[in-house]
Amino acid sequence: MSSCDFEHLTETTVGVKQIFEGRIINVHVDDVKLSDGSFSKREVVNHPGGVGILAKTPEGELLFVMQFRYPMKKLILEIPAGKLEKGEDPSVCAVRELKEETGAECCQPVFLGSFYSSPGFSDEMIYLYYASVTEMSEATPDEGEFIECLRYKVDDVLDMIDTGELIDNKTVTAILLARQKGFI
Amino acid sequence: MSSCDFEHLTETTVGVKQIFEGRIINVHVDDVKLSDGSFSKREVVNHPGGVGILAKTPEGELLFVMQFRYPMKKLILEIPAGKLEKGEDPSVCAVRELKEETGAECCQPVFLGSFYSSPGFSDEMIYLYYASVTEMSEATPDEGEFIECLRYKVDDVLDMIDTGELIDNKTVTAILLARQKGFI
């Protein structure tokens, strides 16, 4: 399949209006020219990308963090995750976030895949990893980061996908990919 | 597990600064009070939510759409998907988007789950469905929407997850959930 087959789908930028430069996201609204010569607007949220890491303890339990997610004003159960620092290797970021949020040390993580979270409006990409925990110590979350580390058995986690208790997309993807690859 | 156990994780809004009201997203930056009495800022993108639908033809092929995603300036292969209209039932939206983007009519779709795409900065929730195609006719995409419908065999689609050819999170989640539930 040649990319030329889809040339008629591409859009060309004809103008950029900066809206917001934040600590985490940048927002701009662009004028684009479509392949039929017409024009449209695109609302874009730039995000540096992030990582998520599914980690299994020697006892066969999976590590999760419970966290207040302000956009929904809800507590959400997720795999340990975090934003990429500028230029940071995603696997290094994954090991760092796992340690900070749960206190777990791990072997070299296995890459499960990288995925766009919301390709309609954002360029955020999430890199997902699986790792075996070698040692547990104290969590050292960032200042102003309040999280609780929880452990669940694999069977319970699979049930929690079915019952709708796990509602974070990266978390569910990491679990299903790790399951498919035989890690859990 | 009582939600009281996590009361120390919650954040309280003390100020809201509207940044942008767009056609698709709204952006605001809020001042929040954390449980230790300190203050922080939260950058939030509100999104109406969306649907994605994995559809299988009577020949056992899965329907995808190739689409230019402006935030990445890349062509991305995804399941048919779209934004929820205000008050719209997600399953009705899924059937509508499938028909518009691929021309496929389907039986009542099966709900696979609903997931937050990017809970760190956005409240976007994606409702995922699986459906069997009953009939194919002409696609009728929205004005200014340029997409190509493609069909792949299930085994090829599973390979495309492994090779990193499928990089849209909702698409991969829908495929893995449908696989786990025995639909594909």
Side-chain angles (χ1 to χ4, degrees):
Chain A
M1 178 172 82
S2 144
S3 66
C4 295
D5 299 336
F6 300 115
E7 211 162 307
H8 63 290
L9 304 178
T10 61
E11 301 173 355
T12 315
T13 309
V14 293
V16 176
K17 185 181 172 191
Q18 291 296 337
I19 303 287
F20 173 67
E21 289 204 24
R23 281 188 313 129
I24 296 165
I25 57 170
N26 293 332
V27 181
H28 53 102
V29 179
D30 292 9
D31 290 304
V32 298
K33 188 173 181 182
L34 310 181
S35 59
D36 64 355
S38 66
F39 294 90
S40 191
K41 285 194 186 294
R42 297 286 176 257
E43 300 167 4
V44 180
V45 177
N46 292 130
H47 184 286
V51 301
I53 181 163
L54 182 69
K56 191 168 74 172
T57 68
E59 297 78 33
E61 289 177 319
L62 300 174
L63 298 182
F64 287 81
V65 290
M66 182 68 90
Q67 192 171 4
F68 187 78
R69 287 303 204 172
Y70 185 78
M72 285 69 75
K73 299 198 168 68
K74 272 211 293 220
L75 290 161
I76 298 187
L77 195 62
E78 302 175 31
I79 52 173
K83 201 164 53 40
L84 279 168
E85 305 293 337
K86 205 176 157 69
E88 189 177 29
D89 181 294
S91 70
V92 172
C93 180
V95 171
R96 177 174 59 75
E97 291 288 350
L98 178 65
K99 173 84 167 122
E100 285 176 7
E101 295 191 348
T102 71
E105 311 255 10
C106 67
C107 302
Q108 177 64 24
V110 182
F111 180 59
L112 296 173
S114 56
F115 306 101
Y116 290 115
S117 308
S118 290
F121 71 90
S122 173
D123 62 354
E124 183 193 28
M125 177 162 257
I126 294 282
Y127 298 79
L128 296 177
Y129 293 89
Y130 167 78
S132 294
V133 174
T134 50
E135 211 182 316
M136 290 295 292
S137 54
E138 278 295 294
T140 52
D142 289 337
E143 205 180 322
E145 188 177 36
F146 297 91
I147 51 182
E148 283 291 330
C149 178
L150 297 167
R151 300 171 181 216
Y152 294 94
K153 290 185 190 141
V154 173
D155 283 349
D156 291 343
V157 166
L158 296 173
D159 284 348
M160 287 156 71
I161 296 177
D162 282 341
T163 59
E165 211 170 328
L166 287 174
I167 51 175
D168 169 50
N169 204 352
K170 68 178 171 306
T171 296
V172 171
T173 308
I175 293 164
L176 295 175
L177 284 174
R179 183 76 173 169
Q180 198 194 36
K181 290 172 193 287
F183 295 130
I184 64 170
Chain B
M1 176 172 85
S2 143
S3 66
C4 294
D5 299 336
F6 301 115
E7 211 163 305
H8 63 290
L9 305 178
T10 61
E11 302 172 354
T12 315
T13 309
V14 293
V16 176
K17 185 180 172 193
Q18 291 297 339
I19 302 288
F20 174 67
E21 288 203 25
R23 280 187 314 128
I24 296 165
I25 56 170
N26 293 331
V27 180
H28 53 103
V29 178
D30 292 9
D31 291 305
V32 297
K33 188 174 181 181
L34 309 181
S35 59
D36 64 355
S38 66
F39 294 89
S40 191
K41 284 193 187 293
R42 296 287 176 258
E43 299 167 3
V44 180
V45 177
N46 293 130
H47 184 285
V51 301
I53 181 164
L54 182 69
K56 191 168 75 172
T57 68
E59 296 78 35
E61 289 178 320
L62 300 175
L63 298 182
F64 288 81
V65 290
M66 182 67 92
Q67 192 170 4
F68 187 79
R69 288 303 205 172
Y70 185 79
M72 285 71 73
K73 298 198 168 70
K74 271 212 292 219
L75 290 161
I76 298 187
L77 196 62
E78 301 175 32
I79 53 172
K83 202 163 54 37
L84 279 168
E85 304 292 336
K86 204 176 159 68
E88 189 178 29
D89 181 296
S91 70
V92 171
C93 181
V95 171
R96 176 174 61 74
E97 291 289 351
L98 177 65
K99 172 85 169 121
E100 285 175 9
E101 295 191 348
T102 71
E105 311 255 8
C106 66
C107 303
Q108 178 64 24
V110 181
F111 180 59
L112 295 173
S114 56
F115 306 102
Y116 290 115
S117 309
S118 289
F121 71 91
S122 172
D123 63 353
E124 183 193 29
M125 177 163 257
I126 294 283
Y127 298 79
L128 296 178
Y129 293 88
Y130 167 78
S132 294
V133 173
T134 50
E135 212 182 315
M136 290 295 290
S137 55
E138 278 295 295
T140 52
D142 289 337
E143 205 180 325
E145 189 177 37
F146 296 91
I147 52 182
E148 283 293 328
C149 178
L150 297 167
R151 300 168 181 219
Y152 294 95
K153 289 185 190 140
V154 173
D155 284 348
D156 291 342
V157 166
L158 296 173
D159 285 348
M160 287 156 71
I161 295 177
D162 282 341
T163 58
E165 209 170 328
L166 288 174
I167 50 174
D168 169 50
N169 204 351
K170 68 178 171 304
T171 296
V172 172
T173 309
I175 292 164
L176 295 175
L177 284 174
R179 182 76 172 169
Q180 197 194 37
K181 289 173 193 287
F183 295 131
I184 62 170

